[in-house]
Amino acid sequence: MSLVGKVVIVTGASSGIGAATAEAFAKAGAKVVLIGRNEANLKTTEAACKAANSKAELLLITADVTVDAERIINTTIDRFGQLDVLVNNAGIFEGGNILDIDVDQFDRLMNTNMRSIFLLTKLAAPHLIKTKGNIVNVSSASGLRANHAMSTYCCSKAAVDQFTRCIALDLASQNVRVNSVNPGIIVTDIFRYSGPSPAELDEFYKRLKKMHPLGRVGEPKEVALAIVFLASDSTSFITGANLPIDGGRHVVSSLIVD
């Protein structure tokens, strides 16, 4: 996969897709910078990366992507001297009908899910130009289609997709590729944080299996492997792409598959 020795930043690496992605890059021989707000969880990811590759070079940065973008990039360059791949994975989820939500929710989701990606991309771009590196943004299937009572989340992810396409054009002449992945329902902590009980969460996943033609929800590793694939030299002629990893959800006309 031509990732040995490459320096990769993975935001939101403390759990879920981010943790699985960091582990996959470490296994591929990359030098991985793990970004997250929860130091204890980052150390768990660090242990998983070491288990995948005992020789992996890792850097843990406890940080909030909404306020620490400059520190993240500067600390990475100070340690490794270069940057080859930026994975913008950190994100949050909140739902609610437009009649019930407030502007604070909109601001929170756009600040974390989109503005932080703008800041990290802006600061990382000069370093990626030097290495002819690339960016992979983690969007969502919800960026590709509308969902009831999820307007702020859907809009934030649709913005990520359009940003991906625009920045792919901005950086193409510099040989920097920019792509995104659009996961469907993946078993991660993002839904648990929104407050359901374990029983409610199990029922949620069972119900949402019907939304995916393959008849199941996804696992973080399945998204992680696609991210590593897009970041590798194997996809050197792919840029500006939004890749659904959703069990076929994006191709059905209804939310429920019989």
Side-chain angles (χ1 to χ4, degrees):
M1 300 288 277
S2 302
L3 288 167
V4 175
K6 301 290 187 181
V7 178
V8 182
I9 290 176
V10 180
T11 68
S14 56
S15 65
I17 291 170
T21 299
E23 182 179 344
F25 274 111
K27 186 174 182 179
K31 302 174 182 178
V32 188
V33 183
L34 284 62
I35 310 298
R37 292 177 296 178
N38 188 309
E39 184 177 4
N41 287 353
L42 279 182
K43 289 186 179 298
T44 299
T45 303
E46 178 186 33
C49 291
K50 286 292 187 180
N53 179 1
S54 61
K55 297 181 179 179
E57 292 188 53
L58 307 171
L59 172 62
L60 277 63
I61 303 177
T62 305
D64 182 338
V65 293
T66 64
V67 295
D68 294 321
E70 187 171 5
R71 178 165 67 87
I72 289 167
I73 299 301
N74 288 344
T75 303
T76 299
I77 299 303
D78 288 345
R79 169 69 179 273
F80 293 119
Q82 68 184 66
L83 177 62
D84 299 278
V85 180
L86 171 63
V87 179
N88 285 309
N89 166 73
I92 59 174
F93 170 80
E94 295 183 46
N97 189 287
I98 189 63
L99 299 175
D100 303 315
I101 61 175
D102 55 30
V103 70
D104 289 341
Q105 183 192 94
F106 178 86
D107 289 343
R108 280 194 301 274
L109 267 74
M110 293 303 293
N111 195 34
T112 301
N113 294 357
M114 180 63 244
R115 186 175 182 273
S116 68
I117 291 179
F118 170 83
L119 290 172
L120 284 164
T121 298
K122 176 72 175 175
L123 295 167
H127 303 287
L128 293 170
I129 289 170
K130 293 177 183 178
T131 59
K132 293 182 172 56
N134 68 85
I135 299 169
V136 182
N137 296 320
V138 178
S139 181
S140 169
S142 296
L144 302 173
R145 64 182 305 159
N147 289 295
H148 171 68
M150 288 175 54
S151 60
T152 51
Y153 182 75
C154 289
C155 287
S156 72
K157 292 301 187 177
V160 172
D161 288 341
Q162 187 71 313
F163 184 74
T164 296
R165 293 187 287 266
C166 290
I167 304 309
L169 293 179
D170 282 358
L171 297 180
S173 64
Q174 305 288 341
N175 292 307
V176 173
R177 299 183 299 111
V178 186
N179 295 293
S180 74
V181 294
N182 296 73
I185 301 299
I186 308 297
V187 180
T188 72
D189 288 337
I190 195 169
F191 296 110
R192 181 172 62 83
Y193 291 150
S194 62
S197 69
E200 289 172 334
L201 194 57
D202 286 343
E203 181 59 31
F204 171 78
Y205 285 130
K206 289 178 182 178
R207 180 167 53 86
L208 294 188
K209 288 179 180 180
K210 295 183 178 181
M211 295 173 59
H212 303 76
L214 288 183
R216 64 178 178 86
V217 293
E219 297 293 334
K221 182 178 179 180
E222 294 175 298
V223 183
L225 292 176
I227 293 170
V228 172
F229 175 65
L230 285 173
S232 74
D233 292 342
S234 301
T235 54
S236 58
F237 203 50
I238 298 177
T239 196
N242 306 128
L243 176 63
I245 309 170
D246 64 354
R249 180 184 172 195
H250 69 286
V251 296
V252 297
S253 58
S254 65
L255 289 179
I256 302 298
V257 178
D258 295 329

